[in-house]
Amino acid sequence: MKVGKIIKVSGPLVVAEGMDEANVFDVVQVSDNKLIGEIIEMRGDKASIQVYEETTGIGPGEPVYTTGEPLSVELGPGLVTAMFDGIQRPLESIRAIAGDFLTKGIEMPALDRDKKWHFNPTVKVGDEVGAGDIIGTVEETTVVQHKIMVPPGVSGKVKSIEEGEYTVLDTVCVIEGDKEHSIQMMQKWPVRKGRPYGRKLNPDEPLITGQRVIDTFFPAAKGGTAAVPGPFGSGKTVVQHQLAKWADAEIIVYVGCGERGNEMTDVLMEFPEIKDPRTGESLMMRTILIANTSNMPVAAREASIYTGITIAEYFRDMGYSVAIMADSTSRWAEALREMSGRLEEMPGDEGYPAYLASRAAEFYERAGKVVCLGSDSRVGALTVIGAVSPPGGDISEPVSQATLRIVKVFWGLDASLAYRRHFPAINWLNSYSLYQNKVDEWMDGNIDKEFSENRIKAMALLQEESSLQEIVRLVGRDSLSETDQLKLEASKSIREDFLQQNAFHDEDTYTSLDKQNLMLKMVLAFYEEGRRALGSGVYLSELLDLSVRDRIARAKYLSEDKLSDIQEIIDDITKSMEELISKGGILNA
């Protein structure tokens, strides 16, 4: 192992000389404590090293050991339900030997070397296999079947394979090709390099989240990209938690990147308690957590999202639908800015490096719906959802703008909505989804042929409400016609009875697409029937006094097995209007 020497320490940046045999992105061990670092720049034999641990106490003259390998993650059974730090150190295992605080230079393999897994072969001796082919399975949790794949670059004939109990380092299969390859259940993969796939497909199926404002108005597609920008206190983390809990992805990778420790604690405490609506098992059974909180070394934030997305790509390669939540990419960008400043690079906007946009693009473009490697042409999807925390909620700042140029879905959180306790505080006037047309086709074909038509009607009402509110503020509500006042009431109903959703209510936290469809129909039915009644001479005050309005407001709290009750409310709306019309619109004293 070649040894260099430290000549400068500047926070998380260490400069060492005598590193002529090292390359950019090689992992190194810094000082006698063997702190983990990564070379981010080479100038002659001088290497600038980004250190992923606290550098206090180390100084010039101390050694730097090169490993000759890029920063890589271990991929194999044992990932699901685990919690890692930004460079894939298993936090539970470290806590068992080192206590509640990470000690400097502590090293531990990401995957347990002693645990034995039951391997079931799916190929037999003599079969021809190539990169990406599944050679066997391991039941990792009750809901995740871990597929053991032939690593990229390996192909040939199966020479030996046997069912049994193996550790991740044991040879489970021997493949004879250009040479003999011993296949273990564990693979290693460099985090900065995307994993290979067959070809990319167009994302055309919605990622169903159970959040009404998202699924109905601003849907994300499986294999798509989305951003959730918003100021402090507007509910970014709750939105991310809701998506991690309820999105219909088979694997969730949650990256807490530079966020407060209590937010990761919430995930750790809540997820094991919550039952997955599809499997009935704990949500933790399909979740991988990467915790890099704000009190951890800043440089490790930069690695954490790459660690997360590489693990997510691995499960995508098995043919699973995977979603990764990055909370928040602003903290990751701050780590880039910190390192760029210490490298004395020319700064771009607001001190961020000039390459901020290209680094963000490199991350988001690893999303996608793909035909995986392997002869069975299985399809996997990786959806990336990134939270952005612009200072003061100003989305004209560089991180928000770099993100918006890349992602296809924008869920703009609004501080004024959050202040009014309207959650999720996604502003319906400035959010958008570029997957809308594809998802509309899917919804019309799978849920209700009028789904997209109703969505367009509801959105038109919300936009008209915005213009009418301007008039109300200037000359008062009474100056509006009764039809326009009914529009305001219908829009208020869409906002409060449909868009507003309580993340902490057992029935309201998740809404199936069938229930969303009926709820939207119900709210629009009141408006359509109300217009018909006004046209027949009924007074607006009579419409607003109808008892059915209370039932409309409470419909969101009906359980999923009582959807017929919503249909009954729709029938009651029609019946109540008919009664008013038959009275001839005479105002009762």
Side-chain angles (χ1 to χ4, degrees), residues 416-563:
S416 64
L417 283 175
Y419 185 72
R420 300 204 303 263
R421 295 290 178 266
H422 177 111
F423 292 106
I426 293 173
N427 188 319
W428 48 89
L429 296 175
N430 63 12
S431 300
Y432 61 81
S433 169
L434 299 182
Y435 300 115
Q436 193 74 70
N437 293 341
K438 289 278 181 197
V439 172
D440 276 351
E441 282 174 33
W442 190 92
M443 294 287 199
D444 290 349
N446 291 275
I447 304 301
D448 187 325
K449 61 181 187 296
E450 293 175 358
F451 193 98
S452 60
E453 196 182 311
N454 288 339
R455 178 190 64 74
I456 291 164
K457 281 182 194 168
M459 185 51 81
L461 274 173
L462 290 168
Q463 286 166 341
E464 283 183 59
E465 179 199 33
S466 182
S467 333
L468 290 172
Q469 290 287 14
E470 292 289 323
I471 299 167
V472 170
R473 277 193 284 272
L474 288 169
V475 289
R477 186 173 178 135
D478 294 341
S479 62
L480 297 178
S481 68
E482 290 211 324
T483 310
D484 281 346
Q485 287 187 48
L486 178 64
K487 271 183 190 168
L488 286 180
E489 285 297 326
S491 304
K492 182 183 174 193
S493 182
I494 294 170
R495 285 190 284 107
E496 294 180 2
D497 306 334
F498 185 79
L499 295 180
Q500 218 168 329
Q501 196 165 349
N502 186 345
F504 302 103
H505 187 284
D506 287 349
E507 298 301 342
D508 199 29
T509 184
Y510 175 87
T511 309
S512 68
L513 289 183
D514 289 325
K515 185 176 173 184
Q516 291 184 40
N517 177 44
L518 283 169
M519 284 175 69
L520 194 59
K521 272 187 169 176
M522 172 187 70
V523 172
L524 289 172
F526 181 80
Y527 173 64
E528 300 288 356
E529 290 296 313
R531 276 179 57 194
R532 189 166 69 87
L534 288 179
S536 302
V538 176
Y539 292 113
L540 178 67
S541 55
E542 291 180 285
L543 297 182
L544 302 186
D545 286 342
L546 286 172
S547 60
V548 76
R549 293 192 73 209
D550 285 340
R551 294 179 66 200
I552 293 172
R554 290 196 302 270
K556 61 167 90 171
Y557 303 121
L558 291 169
S559 63
E560 292 288 341
D561 55 1
K562 291 191 177 168
L563 296 190

